[in-house]
Amino acid sequence: MSDSARPDLAAFRELEQLIRALGDEMAAWRRRAHEAESRLKATEARLARQAAQPAAATGAAAQSASGAAAATAHAAAPSWSTGQLVAALQRENQELKLRLEAARQRTKQLLERVRFLRQQHEIGGVER
């Protein structure tokens, strides 16, 4: 009997493909969430180090050296302040967590559908 004559097998294969694709998508979201958390931790650690550093020296030589270094660092730094960056990373992390939870719910629904199809297939196989 071909797959076209067995719509339950075709539906099962389609569902199997959907679950694989959803699993891949969840893995990508999980990876992005971990990366965002890593960036957040690195930023928090950098902020803690900056807060713990003593005030810059007040000598003219120290000011000119630190001024040149600060100008170089400022030119390379993004236009966001650290607080804005942390807030943006927290928002992104929260969004990824919400998307991951939605994917979990969809996966559970698909799993229930697979279980139902298996039960129907088994019932159909027993009655024949």
Side-chain angles (χ1 to χ4, degrees), residues 39-53 78 81-82 85-86 89:
R39 286 193 314 258
L40 178 62
K41 286 179 183 177
T43 302
E44 287 174 343
R46 190 174 63 239
L47 286 174
R49 282 192 310 270
Q50 288 174 352
Q53 288 178 349
S81 73
T82 307
L85 180 61
V86 169
L89 289 173

Side-chain angles (χ1 to χ4, degrees), residues 39-118:
R39 286 193 314 258
L40 178 62
K41 286 179 183 177
T43 302
E44 287 174 343
R46 190 174 63 239
L47 286 174
R49 282 192 310 270
Q50 288 174 352
Q53 288 178 349
T58 57
Q63 284 181 353
S64 64
S66 66
T72 304
H74 182 56
S79 62
W80 285 13
S81 73
T82 307
Q84 290 172 324
L85 180 61
V86 169
L89 289 173
Q90 287 174 337
R91 280 192 304 273
E92 180 183 2
N93 194 26
Q94 184 62 30
E95 177 186 329
L96 290 173
K97 284 180 180 180
L98 291 173
R99 290 173 63 186
L100 189 59
E101 183 57 34
R104 276 191 191 109
Q105 293 300 321
R106 287 194 306 268
T107 302
K108 286 179 184 178
Q109 290 172 348
L110 287 173
L111 185 58
E112 291 300 320
R113 289 172 62 187
V114 168
R115 286 183 184 140
F116 174 76
L117 286 173
R118 280 186 183 163

